[in-house]
Amino acid sequence: MPIVNRVADLQPDIQAWRRVIHENPELLYDVHRTAAFVADRLREFGCDEVATGLGRTGVVGVIKGKQQPGKGEIKVIGLRADMDALPIEEQTNLPHASKISGKMHACGHDGHTAMLLGAARYLAETRNFAGDAVVIFQPAEEGGAGAAAMIQDGLMDRFGIEQVYGMHNGPGIPVGCFAIRPGPVMAATDSIDIKIEGLGGHAARPNKCIDSVLVGSQLITALQSIVSRTIDPLESAVVSICEFHAGNARNVIPHTAELRGTVRTLTPEVRETVEKRVHEVCEGVAKMTGAKIDLTYERGYPVTKNHAEQTDFATQVAKEVAGAQNVHEMPPLMGAEDFSYMLEARPGAFIFCGNGDSAGLHHPAYDFNDEAIVYGTSYWIKLVENRLAAS
Ligand code: NI
């Protein structure tokens, strides 16, 4: 069976919600308006419970199926969408473009929220399942670890969630197609902040100075040897130093310099190794140059790791919605996702839903593709109806 027929009827409403959310983007935990919109809709649909304020501004809706689950069957699954936007100036010139300068839904979280609302409406109408479907709307996916905040607020235990599923739109994946893989699907992301203190002075007397620019350059080069010379070539890791700040005159050797960058890895072992090597490289370059090097290495989101059984199951559901030929196994991405915290707390799977030939995520010309709504929404519905199958 392809997309759920009723979803085609609901599409105009879901699209309208999506565009309202798109016009009013909010950042990180400050998603009050979006969260209120979501909570209002969930109450309208007749959810059995609507909880707000989890992880500060997260919203949860509980929809009970017509039947009780049998003994030993899965009783409760969680479906998660994210609500936050990005600090980007939108350049789409669309009628529903952001009304708020400097903020935009450039990652499609507007679409994720609207599709999960659509599924909630359908599930509350039909209730053709046994057990509880818990719809989760989180704040602060974009760097604020909103998923972790909701878990700390008791998300999993309070609602008895046994398995959890997530979805992201995928630019470059045709509309009507899905992509998924078992195991690591998105990277862990860590941040590197380096402060170099050399000895400033006259550009013509370098022998009296410790040149913080040269120290920074040596650091960058040495850091690049970590991936190429300590990580197994069959494993994946990225070390990117993306900021280098130093100096403000052509004839002054600057006293200090600062570097900032990011580390991406797909396994805990590689993550451990890269972190250790970054420390060692900093210590080594400090010794070699006589500069003082202060490293702050901070761990961010963990690896988003799909669980095998739930990934198989999600793949079957996607095939049912989109056709077997339209569901593909994908390579892992080196971007990061805070759904990783939910997959550390409970088994589950994260899937990509085709957004067609749109601009890339986090690009000022990006827009969520409303043509994808029927596929994403049908996936959520079928996921609930198959996993919590009524007898
Ligand atoms: Ni995103």
Side-chain angles (χ1 to χ4, degrees), residues 62-338:
V62 179
I63 305 158
K64 292 190 176 297
K66 267 182 199 159
Q67 292 182 18
Q68 290 294 319
K71 221 177 159 207
E73 311 239 309
I74 296 159
K75 297 175 187 65
V76 186
I77 62 169
L79 317 177
R80 170 276 203 172
D82 37 16
M83 300 188 285
D84 58 322
L86 285 155
I88 295 176
E89 186 70 39
E90 181 159 350
Q91 288 170 16
T92 63
N93 293 318
L94 289 164
H96 60 269
S98 171
K99 289 180 185 164
I100 299 165
S101 143
K103 297 181 190 176
M104 119 177 237
H105 269 290
C107 201
H109 299 184
D110 50 343
H112 303 164
T113 296
M115 290 192 294
L116 190 55
L117 279 176
R121 175 155 163 198
Y122 174 95
L123 293 167
E125 245 172 48
T126 54
R127 300 184 186 256
N128 263 328
F129 55 96
D132 294 1
V134 178
V135 289
I136 304 161
F137 297 85
Q138 74 154 83
E141 193 288 319
E142 299 290 358
M150 289 189 80
I151 294 166
Q152 275 153 21
D153 262 3
L155 171 70
M156 298 298 173
D157 295 330
R158 178 168 162 191
F159 302 99
I161 295 167
E162 291 163 86
Q163 298 186 356
V164 68
Y165 295 85
M167 176 165 41
H168 206 290
N169 74 93
I173 303 170
V175 171
C177 292
F178 289 90
I180 190 169
R181 80 188 306 275
V185 63
M186 294 192 80
T189 173
D190 299 337
S191 64
I192 298 176
D193 279 84
I194 296 172
K195 288 196 165 77
I196 300 162
E197 190 183 337
L199 184 63
H202 200 296
R205 291 160 58 84
N207 53 310
K208 300 290 178 192
C209 303
I210 298 172
D211 181 356
S212 61
V213 174
L214 182 61
V215 174
S217 307
Q218 285 173 327
L219 258 177
I220 291 171
T221 312
L223 288 168
Q224 288 312 316
S225 72
I226 296 174
V227 174
S228 66
R229 287 298 174 264
T230 30
I231 301 304
D232 183 331
L234 298 180
E235 299 279 359
S236 298
V238 178
V239 177
S240 288
I241 302 299
C242 303
E243 292 183 52
F244 189 154
H245 303 283
N248 51 15
R250 70 169 68 247
N251 57 355
V252 178
I253 290 175
H255 190 71
T256 61
E258 281 186 37
L259 306 180
R260 283 188 207 102
T262 180
V263 173
R264 307 297 171 104
T265 52
L266 290 174
T267 68
E269 296 74 29
V270 172
R271 190 182 202 187
E272 201 78 42
T273 305
V274 174
E275 178 172 359
K276 183 168 155 273
R277 288 298 295 150
V278 169
H279 280 280
E280 289 168 356
V281 164
C282 287
E283 285 159 24
V285 172
K287 199 170 267 177
M288 186 173 81
T289 58
K292 190 168 164 263
I293 299 178
D294 262 349
L295 164 68
T296 309
Y297 188 104
E298 251 177 42
R299 289 196 167 203
Y301 295 172
V303 177
T304 304
K305 197 172 170 191
N306 276 341
H307 297 247
E309 192 278 336
Q310 287 72 22
T311 304
D312 269 358
F313 175 75
T315 304
Q316 289 316 313
V317 171
K319 285 181 174 174
E320 198 180 322
V321 170
Q325 72 284 5
N326 294 322
V327 180
H328 304 287
E329 180 155 330
M330 60 184 283
L333 303 176
M334 299 312 274
E337 210 348 294
D338 84 342

